[in-house]
Amino acid sequence: MEAGRMKDGPSLMIVDDSSVFRSRIARLATDARLPGVRVVAQAADGHQAVQQARVHRPAFVTMDLTMPRMDGPACLLALRDVLPDARVLVVSALSDRATALKALACGAHGFLLKPFSDDQLVNALRELMS
């Protein structure tokens, strides 16, 4: 069976130094428009994210870019080695084009700007998972 895709739905890891954003994303992952999504791990920084990725093997990841210990771009590069097939949605308040392009170059599959509406996040996750 493909890593992160169990019979009960796609697995998601949430990486953000803000517990408020982690909780919000986890709550929205249970939206009826995202059937079967399971939050298998949460991390407050890139270092924790890499550790959690090795253990839980999520198929999908949401990730902030500005975090302590290991920032988003470094974490994206590390996750590419640990989870080469995982799809990553960057969720960041950094809105300049260069930041988005760097994230995509480091392995992200999408970019969502903070603050976001519930619908924007659900739609971004649906697109990531399709």
Side-chain angles (χ1 to χ4, degrees):
M1 210 178 305
E2 181 183 336
R5 287 189 183 269
M6 307 299 270
K7 62 183 177 193
D8 53 346
S11 55
L12 174 66
M13 176 171 67
I14 302 165
V15 184
D16 198 304
D17 60 329
S18 166
S19 62
V20 172
F21 274 105
R22 287 195 313 271
S23 295
R24 183 170 176 215
I25 293 169
R27 178 181 55 80
L28 291 170
T30 65
D31 188 282
R33 294 170 288 178
L34 297 167
V37 172
R38 297 171 300 115
V39 176
V40 296
Q42 295 188 34
D45 61 52
H47 180 73
Q48 287 179 3
V50 173
Q51 291 178 323
Q52 293 292 325
R54 286 189 178 112
V55 173
H56 298 285
R57 313 293 301 167
F60 302 97
V61 178
T62 64
M63 180 183 303
D64 191 8
L65 290 180
T66 307
M67 298 180 293
R69 292 180 72 196
M70 180 190 294
D71 67 6
C75 185
L76 281 164
L77 292 172
L79 287 179
R80 213 165 45 181
D81 291 335
V82 176
L83 300 171
D85 296 327
R87 295 182 51 82
V88 181
L89 173 67
V90 168
V91 182
S92 177
L94 300 176
S95 62
D96 62 283
R97 181 176 164 85
T99 299
L101 290 174
K102 181 176 181 182
L104 294 170
C106 290
H109 297 87
F111 192 95
L112 181 63
L113 186 61
K114 289 179 183 177
F116 52 83
S117 70
D118 291 1
D119 283 342
Q120 286 173 318
L121 179 69
V122 168
N123 289 335
L125 287 172
R126 287 179 65 194
E127 185 174 318
L128 185 73
M129 294 177 181
S130 63

